[in-house]
Amino acid sequence: MALKNLWEQERQERLQITAERRQQVNQWKQLTQQELQLQADLLHQELSSYVTSLHNNRKLQQQQFQQEIVERQLEILQIKTDVCQRQQEYRQQRAAKAQALFQDLQNFRAILHKSVWGDVYDGLCLRSHGQAVSPTPAKKEKLVATVPKLAISRSAIKATGFRPTVNTMTRKVPVLNADTVKSKVQQYIQQAQGATLIEIEEVIGLSRVQTIDILRSLIKQGILEQRDRQYFIRQQTIS
């Protein structure tokens, strides 16, 4: 009986210790769950505040970006307007300068033609348009080339190797009557049985521009013909 009572007593003690430990574990579990729940609530609150703050900041930044975009668009529109105005001003300035330059060139061309051609150019222009030629002035300057020079043959000129020593396009020549010059050119070509532009220019004493214009006029009239850079009298004209 003594052993049984001792075992029963020890058993009761063990059950009591187990119950106490179970109670302690349950208390610890409750405390731990409460702490975890409290921490979870705090964390959830912090996350909610952070998300709300981010959302507000995003809205604020979006509004700022939209405002900056509107300002940039206004600046771009202003720049485009300024560029268009400047382009219009530059176009007007260029047009005015071009008009002034064109007028200056027209005046210079008229002065140049007057200084080069003189009355011969006016007479040829009037004749080409079917108008009456102005009367020949009473006083005429003598030709640079004399009558004996008209009899010089083309072979003699080539043998001497003559070349012009001045620029025949810009040298000054005496003002001659158009019909007289044409007659002398035709007479020289007929005597030389053909002549080049340089030969006619040197013998008659004309400038390059005057010589070309007179030869072109004679070709249009059917008096001359051009072959291999030489000018000849048409056979029909001779006959």
Side-chain angles (χ1 to χ4, degrees), residues 47-236:
L47 288 175
S48 298
S49 300
Y50 181 71
V51 170
T52 304
S53 177
L54 287 178
H55 185 68
N56 294 332
N57 292 334
R58 182 180 178 183
K59 284 186 177 180
L60 181 60
Q61 290 179 356
Q62 186 176 3
Q63 292 177 358
Q64 292 177 354
F65 289 157
Q66 290 179 353
Q67 185 176 0
E68 290 179 358
I69 290 172
V70 172
E71 292 177 355
R72 293 293 184 273
Q73 290 177 350
L74 292 176
E75 291 179 359
I76 292 172
L77 182 61
Q78 183 65 31
I79 292 173
K80 287 183 178 179
T81 304
D82 295 340
V83 170
C84 291
Q85 292 178 355
R86 291 183 180 180
Q87 287 179 349
Q88 185 67 23
E89 292 176 358
Y90 291 155
R91 290 194 191 98
Q92 294 177 357
Q93 292 177 2
R94 288 197 299 269
K97 290 181 180 179
Q99 185 66 25
L101 180 60
F102 180 76
Q103 186 65 33
D104 293 340
L105 290 175
Q106 289 289 340
N107 296 335
F108 177 74
R109 180 176 179 272
I111 295 172
L112 182 61
H113 279 202
K114 186 68 176 177
S115 62
V116 172
W117 291 98
D119 296 337
V120 175
Y121 177 76
D122 297 337
L124 291 176
C125 290
L126 292 175
R127 183 178 293 274
S128 62
H129 288 82
Q131 298 178 358
V133 181
S134 59
T136 306
K139 294 183 179 180
K140 300 179 182 178
E141 295 186 9
K142 294 183 179 180
L143 291 173
V144 175
T146 58
V147 176
K149 286 187 178 180
L150 295 175
I152 298 176
S153 63
R154 178 162 48 88
S155 59
I157 295 176
K158 291 182 178 180
T160 57
F162 178 81
R163 289 294 182 272
T165 57
V166 295
N167 188 357
T168 58
M169 295 294 292
T170 58
R171 68 180 183 183
K172 294 183 178 180
V173 295
V175 178
L176 304 174
N177 181 265
D179 295 334
T180 303
V181 174
K182 288 182 180 180
S183 176
K184 291 185 179 296
V185 170
Q186 184 178 354
Q187 181 182 358
Y188 170 70
I189 295 175
Q190 186 174 1
Q191 291 179 358
Q193 296 181 356
T196 62
L197 176 64
I198 297 177
E199 294 171 358
I200 298 171
E201 177 183 339
E202 291 301 321
V203 173
I204 304 301
L206 300 174
S207 67
R208 178 64 56 85
V209 179
Q210 289 176 329
T211 307
I212 292 174
D213 192 76
I214 291 173
L215 291 174
R216 186 183 294 115
S217 177
L218 292 174
I219 291 174
K220 288 182 179 180
Q221 294 176 7
I223 299 174
L224 298 181
E225 61 180 358
Q226 184 180 6
R227 297 194 304 269
D228 298 332
R229 297 184 180 180
Q230 293 186 1
Y231 298 90
F232 300 90
I233 302 294
R234 286 183 179 272
Q235 297 297 329
Q236 297 178 358

